[in-house]
Amino acid sequence: MSQQMELPREEVERMMFFEATRTQSEAEHRADPRNAQVLTRWGGALLELAHFKQGQEATEMIQEAVSKFEAALRINPQKHDALWCLGNALTSQGFLFTDREEAMEYFEQAKSCFQRALNEEPNNEQYKKALGMTDKAPDLHAELQRQLAEQQAQQDAQQRAQGGSAGKEDAGEDFWYDVGGWVAFAGIALSWVVMASHQQAAAA
């Protein structure tokens, strides 16, 4: 059974909302390629949708989101919401690496993005929270790696006892679900970026 079929109704509706946002943003980008807000909204939808995916598909969707945020910042380097969204995406990417040093490179880049966003909007509480949470990322990364190693050891033991080969793929999926627990912060926060953008477009 697919992951989507197992989602609660509100999560399915949320996923459909961001699918629609992605489609709309892509169409708006074709009409106005230099619109940084459209690129930011598009990237935000992709980052949200990545939380509903697994494995390589999730990784590729996060990278696609990064490319949209970077494109928005090439148009407007001071765009604070794009900087904040990019920081969230880079944090998500960091958790996909098992090596601490590789992960730390992404966490440091994310921290820089959050700081730049806060410099542009010093009173933004969400940017302050994001910057503070990034300091906790290395410890959480270490804890996730510990849990993953324990889980893999248990599955290896079960595999030896059963003489089978099942279980390794599930470990990777469970790791992504654990990472999803962290980036839920990014997901919830990104929701207001996308919805606010819709409201601004409707009011225009």
Side-chain angles (χ1 to χ4, degrees), residues 55 58-59 62 91-98 103 141 145 175-176 179:
T59 302
I62 293 173
T91 302
S92 300
Q93 283 185 312
F95 280 111
L96 298 176
F97 289 91
T98 57
H141 178 270
Q145 293 305 314
F175 173 66
W176 175 244
V179 171

Side-chain angles (χ1 to χ4, degrees), residues 7-161:
L7 290 172
R9 179 178 176 180
E10 59 270 19
E11 287 295 286
V12 172
E13 291 175 351
R14 184 165 167 263
M15 181 177 62
M16 291 174 64
F17 170 78
F18 287 110
E19 285 283 8
T21 299
R22 174 172 65 168
T23 301
Q24 179 181 340
S25 299
E26 188 172 359
E28 291 176 356
H29 176 67
R30 286 195 296 269
D32 186 5
R34 296 287 298 171
N35 191 318
Q37 183 59 33
V38 168
L39 284 162
T40 303
R41 188 167 65 239
W42 190 358
L46 288 166
L47 187 55
E48 285 279 3
L49 290 169
H51 304 156
F52 296 98
K53 307 298 181 181
Q54 298 175 5
Q56 188 63 28
E57 189 177 6
T59 302
E60 291 174 356
M61 192 164 282
I62 293 173
Q63 182 56 48
E64 188 179 357
V66 167
S67 72
K68 300 297 182 283
F69 299 140
E70 290 176 338
L73 290 166
R74 284 194 294 271
I75 297 169
N76 181 359
Q78 284 76 46
K79 188 167 176 54
H80 53 83
D81 53 344
L83 285 164
W84 174 63
C85 289
L86 179 57
N88 283 321
L90 290 168
T91 302
S92 300
Q93 283 185 312
F95 280 111
L96 298 176
F97 289 91
T98 57
D99 182 77
R100 178 180 174 85
E101 290 187 5
E102 286 185 293
M104 283 299 300
E105 290 182 13
Y106 284 89
F107 296 152
E108 288 300 322
Q109 291 178 50
K111 187 173 183 177
S112 175
C113 288
F114 292 140
Q115 185 62 65
R116 288 170 60 194
L118 190 60
N119 290 345
E120 295 296 328
E121 260 203 11
N123 296 323
N124 190 302
E125 292 300 323
Q126 295 213 349
Y127 297 171
K128 292 178 184 178
K129 182 177 180 181
L131 190 60
M133 289 189 71
T134 303
D135 290 333
K136 302 176 183 178
D139 289 341
L140 182 55
H141 178 270
E143 176 61 20
L144 287 172
Q145 293 305 314
R146 183 190 66 77
Q147 292 181 12
L148 180 61
E150 289 181 357
Q151 185 180 72
Q152 187 62 61
Q154 292 173 358
Q155 291 178 344
D156 287 345
Q158 291 175 357
Q159 179 184 334
R160 287 192 297 271

